[in-house]
Structures are given as C-alpha cells and as structure tokens.
C-alpha cells in the first residue's frame, strides 16, 4: 500500500515508488522550521526505516529533487516552498538508541535534548553540550553542532549513511570532514544513525553541567521566540555579533523580522515575517557589516527552497 496522506494531491505522487512510510502533499514547511516560515514541500516523505528509505532512493525517478531536514532549527525555507521531495526521519526506528562500552548509537531522528534523560539514567556524561542544542542528531552531524567549547566532531565515532543510490554505508567520523559548523560529505548522503563517545559519570555531576549550560543560555540568548540560532558564522578570530553591533545593525527590523535584543547574531520572527523578510534582513546586515568593517559575513543558517 502506498503510505499516503493526501492534502491537496500533488501530481508528483503518481511517479513516486510505493513505500511503507508516509507521503504528505503540499506540507507547509513553516510547521517544520523554528523560524516558523517556509512555503510547501511538494511532497514530504517520512521513511518507516532504513530499508524503506533505501528502496525509495533506488526506485525514485533519477532526477527527482530531494532534500533532507532534521528539526528545522537551522533552516530558512523560502516562501515558495521546496519542489520535489523533502525527507524527514521521524518514525520510531530513527529514535532508537543503544549503549555499549564507552559509546552510544542513536537514530538520526532523535532530538538532541532527549540525550539528557539517557545520560542521567545511565550514569553517563560527555554529551551535555549537545543536549542544549536544538534539533536532531542527523542535523547536528551535518552542521557539526557545537557550544561550550565542544563540537560534534569531538565526540563522533562514526555514522551510518544512505547515499543517493540507496546504498547503506558505515562511515568513520574522519571521513565526514567536520569543521567549524561545516561538514564535507556528498549532498546526497543521509545520516541515518550515529555513534558517539560517552564516559561514566555520576548523575549529580551531569545535572550540574546541564543546569549551568541552561542558565547560560537563558542569560545570553533569546528563548521562546521564533529563531534559528546564530545567523552568521564567526569569522576567524572574531565574533559575528560584535561586528553586527559595531556596524549599527542591532536595531534593524524588516516587517517583523528583527535582530534580537538579547543577541545581535540571532534574527527573530516577531510575528508574521516571511522568509523573504528574514533573508532581506540578513542580506542588509551583510551589506552594512561589509561597508563598516570590510568583512563579509557568511550565513550559518541553511537556506532552502524557492522565493515566492
Ligand atoms: C535557539 C537556538 C540555539 C542554537 N544554538 C546552537 C549552538 O549553540 N550551536 C550550534 O551549533 N547550533 C545552534 N543552533 C542551530 C541548530 O540548532 C543546529 O545547527 C542544529 O544542529 C541543526 O539541527 P536540525 O536537526 O534542526 O537540522 P536542520 O535545521 O533541519 O537542518 C540543518 C542542515 O542539516 C541537514 N540535515 C538534517 N538532517 C540530516 C540528516 N539526517 N542527514 C544529512 N543531513 C541532514 C539539512 O539538510 C540542513 O542542511 C541553535 C538554534 C536555535 C534555534
């Protein structure tokens, strides 16, 4: 049976393979991004498991555009939406985890924050920094997520991927070429699970670290707002927020897309801003910072899809 929920049926569906997972037509990406913006994905596909995903990738039309999203916490999806198929790993299969000696293997669809309970209940430590970063573990690999002096590459042992031909491969961490908020592996690789280093640690110590990290974020970053975190990468040896402030951008606003009062490198959708408003605000900041400091800021937020 074609695992299908129809909203407004897309003609694309008629050429997609039958899967055990679920297809959704014209699914609004605004429901899947922390910014709360983004037009429709022509088709969204939730694979049931690796076999289902692998079958889909082998049987799909050769030139079908596909992309993968995680928790949407680092995405700016444009208002015209995403043509083709957007894949999201959200079934139970992608949230499974298993601990063995000094390591934990987790499905890529697991939220980073879910690791808190696992660390505490199993007397483990080493991943506290990761639990404080929004999003899913697959996204954390792609972005080499990091904070509090640690990044994913410091704890990653390896990952399982499925490539564009539907082949499953185990890849050691070094071959994913992770660097500051960046990874260098083929665009058609989908991370489906990953193995991370952990160490034995009393829950009281883990909880203390978690509390410190939480408090730091509460004090320094906006919360309960629509944002995608740091908008721009820190240029080598510099801080993006300082450059933004110095360039007179701290109070910039375009139709409800605004520079956060609490952290200049966070852009916030204060209400009904569109993706175009947020992107235009970001580009305005890049222009002003360039004029004032000669430095070109680079987007950390990933832009996807087409303009309206
Ligand atoms: C309030 C806030 C605070 C934040 N603080 C931090 C921070 O301290 N440090 C930090 O590094 N980031 C931070 N971020 C940014 C964001 O949380 C991270 O970049 C996160 O790792 C993105 O994961 P995600 O699952 O949401 O990925 P998404 O935003 O959905 O996608 C990000 C990229 O990963 C790719 N991707 C997603 N899943 C997979 C997969 N399974 N296989 C292959 N590619 C995949 C997508 O195609 C896309 O290119 C913050 C964001 C917010 C909103």
């Amino acid at each position: 049976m074609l695992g299908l929920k129809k909203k407004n049926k897309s003609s694309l569906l008629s050429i997609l393979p039958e899967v055990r997972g679920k297809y959704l037509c014209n699914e609004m990406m605004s429901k899947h991004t922390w910014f709360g913006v983004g037009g429709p994905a022509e088709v969204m596909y939730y694979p049931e498991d690796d076999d289902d995903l692998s079958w889909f990738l082998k049987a799909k039309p050769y030139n079908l555009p596909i992309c993968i999203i995680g928790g949407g916490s680092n995405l700016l999806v444009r208002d015209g939406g995403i043509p083709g198929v957007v894949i999201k790993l959200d079934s139970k299969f992608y949230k499974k985890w298993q601990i063995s000696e000094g390591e934990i293997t987790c499905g890529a669809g697991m939220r980073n924050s879910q690791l808190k309970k696992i660390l505490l209940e199993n007397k483990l430590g080493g991943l506290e920094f990761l639990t404080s970063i929004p999003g899913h573990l697959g996204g954390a690999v792609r972005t080499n997520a990091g904070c509090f002096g640690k990044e994913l590459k410091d704890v990653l042992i390896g990952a399982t991927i499925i490539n564009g031909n539907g082949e499953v491969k185990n890849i050691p961490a070094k071959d994913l070429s992770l660097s500051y908020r960046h990874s260098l592996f083929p665009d058609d690789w989908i991370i489906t699970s990953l193995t991370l280093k952990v160490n034995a640690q009393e829950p009281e110590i883990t909880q203390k670290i978690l509390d410190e990290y939480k408090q730091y974020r509460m004090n320094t970053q906006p919360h309960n707002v629509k944002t995608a975190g740091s908008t721009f990468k820190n240029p080598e040896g510099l801080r993006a927020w300082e450059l933004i402030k110095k360039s007179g951008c701290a109070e910039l606003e375009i139709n409800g897309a605004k520079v956060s009062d609490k952290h200049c490198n966070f852009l916030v959708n204060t209400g009904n801003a569109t993706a175009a408003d947020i992107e235009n605000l970001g580009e305005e900041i890049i222009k002003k910072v360039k004029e004032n400091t000669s430095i070109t800021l680079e987007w950390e937020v990933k832009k996807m899809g087409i303009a309206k």
Side-chain angles (χ1 to χ4, degrees):
M1 267 297 286
L2 189 67
L4 168 65
K5 271 200 180 171
K6 294 170 194 154
K7 275 194 174 165
N8 300 313
K9 205 175 163 188
S10 153
S11 58
L12 180 57
L13 274 179
S14 61
I15 57 165
L16 295 181
E18 291 196 7
V19 290
R20 283 181 290 113
K22 186 169 72 175
Y23 289 131
L24 293 180
C25 293
N26 298 314
E27 173 73 355
M28 287 306 286
M29 292 301 296
S30 50
K31 293 199 301 197
H32 298 271
T33 62
W34 279 55
F35 265 136
V37 298
E42 194 171 357
V43 169
M44 189 127 172
Y45 165 45
Y46 295 94
E48 184 66 20
D49 52 31
D50 278 359
D51 288 343
D52 190 47
L53 176 57
S54 174
W55 156 248
F56 168 84
L57 292 166
K58 282 177 184 154
K60 73 173 175 54
Y62 174 70
N63 56 358
L64 176 76
I66 57 167
C67 69
I68 171 92
I69 64 161
S73 63
N74 199 221
L75 295 183
L76 178 55
V77 177
R78 296 194 176 98
D79 304 305
I82 306 182
V85 175
V86 175
I87 299 172
K88 185 163 180 171
L89 309 180
D90 205 32
S91 68
K92 272 190 212 148
F93 179 87
Y94 291 109
K95 292 173 183 166
K96 288 195 288 197
W97 52 274
Q98 192 177 9
I99 295 169
S100 57
E101 195 69 20
E103 55 186 57
I104 179 167
T105 298
C106 306
M110 185 193 271
R111 283 201 313 270
N112 305 338
S113 59
Q114 278 176 260
L115 284 167
K116 276 182 206 164
K117 195 162 174 253
I118 298 172
L119 293 181
L120 290 167
E121 288 182 356
N122 294 280
K123 300 190 173 184
L124 296 171
L127 302 178
E128 297 85 347
F129 76 101
L130 185 57
T131 71
S132 75
I133 301 174
H136 298 177
L137 287 169
V141 177
R142 178 45 99 183
T143 61
N144 186 28
C147 56
F148 304 113
K150 259 186 161 181
E151 48 191 3
L152 198 87
K153 79 177 175 61
D154 301 329
V155 292
L156 184 68
I157 295 170
T160 304
I161 66 107
I162 302 189
N163 67 19
N165 299 324
E167 296 159 335
V168 180
K169 291 187 190 297
N170 293 319
I171 310 289
K174 68 172 178 39
D175 293 349
L176 296 167
S177 306
L178 304 185
S179 58
Y180 172 59
R181 303 297 170 270
H182 188 64
S183 52
L184 198 60
F185 55 83
D187 283 346
D188 69 358
W189 283 15
I190 296 175
I191 307 276
T192 58
S193 77
L194 51 149
T195 302
L196 301 164
K197 287 178 217 161
V198 284
N199 54 269
Q201 184 166 277
E202 287 306 316
E204 296 72 32
I205 298 176
T206 305
Q207 188 62 59
K208 189 166 172 280
I209 300 171
L210 293 174
D211 290 345
E212 278 169 18
Y213 288 173
K214 185 173 175 192
Q215 196 55 51
Y216 180 85
R217 283 193 187 264
M218 295 294 278
N219 293 344
T220 58
Q221 297 178 359
H223 42 94
N224 295 329
V225 292
K226 294 177 187 170
T227 181
S230 295
T231 313
F232 303 105
K233 295 184 184 184
N234 287 323
E236 181 94 47
L238 298 166
R239 289 167 195 269
W241 74 263
E242 278 178 354
L243 299 171
I244 294 168
K245 194 166 186 188
K246 204 162 106 182
S247 306
C249 301
E251 286 172 17
L252 283 184
E253 179 168 2
I254 299 180
N255 300 331
K258 192 176 174 307
V259 175
S260 158
D261 301 331
K262 213 158 179 183
H263 194 309
C264 282
N265 197 19
F266 280 50
L267 301 188
V268 176
N269 174 4
T270 59
N272 298 318
T274 62
D277 295 328
I278 297 169
E279 188 166 359
N280 290 339
L281 177 61
E283 290 299 326
E284 182 65 15
I285 292 171
I286 291 175
K287 190 172 133 231
K288 284 193 180 295
V289 170
K290 176 80 177 168
E291 282 165 5
N292 280 274
T293 66
S294 303
I295 293 165
T296 307
L297 289 177
E298 188 190 338
W299 284 88
E300 181 172 322
V301 167
K302 309 282 174 299
K303 288 173 277 177
M304 276 186 182
I306 52 174
K308 207 168 187 174

